[in-house]
Amino acid sequence: MLDHLPDQGHPSGIVPSSVVLTAFQVMSRVFLTWAVTHSVKEVQNEDSVLLFVVAWTITEIIRYSFYTFSLLNHLPYLIKWARYTLFIVLYPMGVSGELLTIYAALPFVRQAGLYSISLPNKYNFSFDYYTFLILVMISYIPIFPQLYFHMLHQRRKVLSYTEEHKKSE
């Protein structure tokens, strides 16, 4: 879910990512991995799982290569280009895999009542995991375009600066 979150400042000084956005990304990946794919065994062989796992894997290889070379003050242009270009394909690929996996899980979640709590109970509380998953899917509609277009803006800014800097040398 929302796997290519944009860089938003660097409070730690180690990597240029917001702690909040990084925590959100980690939580969303744990959610997709555990609360959907692990919990709903029937979806584990879906092509959509392979789709998001491949997208996440390539993204992390690029991201941490970028961070490592940046920390070493020796960032090859190819790594920078990959960081700010390959998301154009990888982000929609990962999001598609995530959404298709959640969608594939829905009938099994509904049939089994997975993680749902019905009334009456001593806490006077109910929770419908099926509806929650649908709301998670709907949340991609406003969030994905914002993050994607932010990354396109970052790409323009970072790569055009690099090109201008190269021309002036």
Side-chain angles (χ1 to χ4, degrees):
M1 200 160 96
L2 309 180
D3 121 51
H4 303 281
L5 296 175
D7 299 337
Q8 293 285 332
H10 38 86
S12 69
I14 296 172
V15 295
S17 296
S18 160
V19 173
V20 173
L21 289 176
T22 300
F24 185 76
Q25 178 183 1
V26 169
M27 288 173 39
S28 71
R29 287 188 178 187
V30 169
F31 172 76
L32 249 306
T33 304
W34 178 79
V36 178
T37 308
H38 173 77
S39 298
V40 183
K41 306 278 186 238
E42 295 85 353
V43 301
Q44 292 177 3
N45 291 324
E46 293 285 331
D47 291 339
S48 58
V49 173
L50 183 61
L51 198 61
F52 77 74
V53 169
V54 168
W56 289 359
T57 301
I58 295 169
T59 297
E60 293 310 318
I61 291 168
I62 294 166
R63 183 190 327 265
Y64 288 102
S65 296
F66 176 87
Y67 290 154
T68 301
F69 284 110
S70 294
L71 286 171
L72 296 172
N73 291 319
H74 181 71
L75 178 61
Y77 180 76
L78 181 62
I79 301 285
K80 181 187 273 189
W81 178 87
R83 170 84 169 116
Y84 288 99
T85 302
L86 295 182
F87 81 88
I88 293 169
V89 173
L90 293 172
Y91 197 180
M93 181 176 148
V95 166
S96 297
E98 294 167 17
L99 287 170
L100 288 168
T101 300
I102 295 169
Y103 183 76
L106 287 174
F108 303 105
V109 167
R110 175 170 257 173
Q111 180 185 2
L114 185 67
Y115 303 134
S116 295
I117 302 169
S118 299
L119 285 171
N121 58 56
K122 69 179 183 177
Y123 301 108
N124 200 28
F125 172 80
S126 69
F127 175 75
D128 183 34
Y129 190 56
Y130 177 86
T131 302
F132 176 76
L133 288 178
I134 291 171
L135 292 174
V136 166
M137 292 174 68
I138 291 169
S139 76
Y140 278 71
I141 295 168
I143 295 170
F144 171 77
Q146 288 180 40
L147 296 176
Y148 191 75
F149 288 119
H150 176 78
M151 285 302 292
L152 285 173
H153 175 75
Q154 290 294 102
R155 178 181 192 275
R156 229 179 350 261
K157 188 168 77 175
V158 170
L159 295 183
S160 68
Y161 171 78
T162 303
E163 291 301 319
E164 288 173 19
H165 185 69
K166 280 183 172 181
K167 287 178 188 174
S168 67
E169 289 179 347

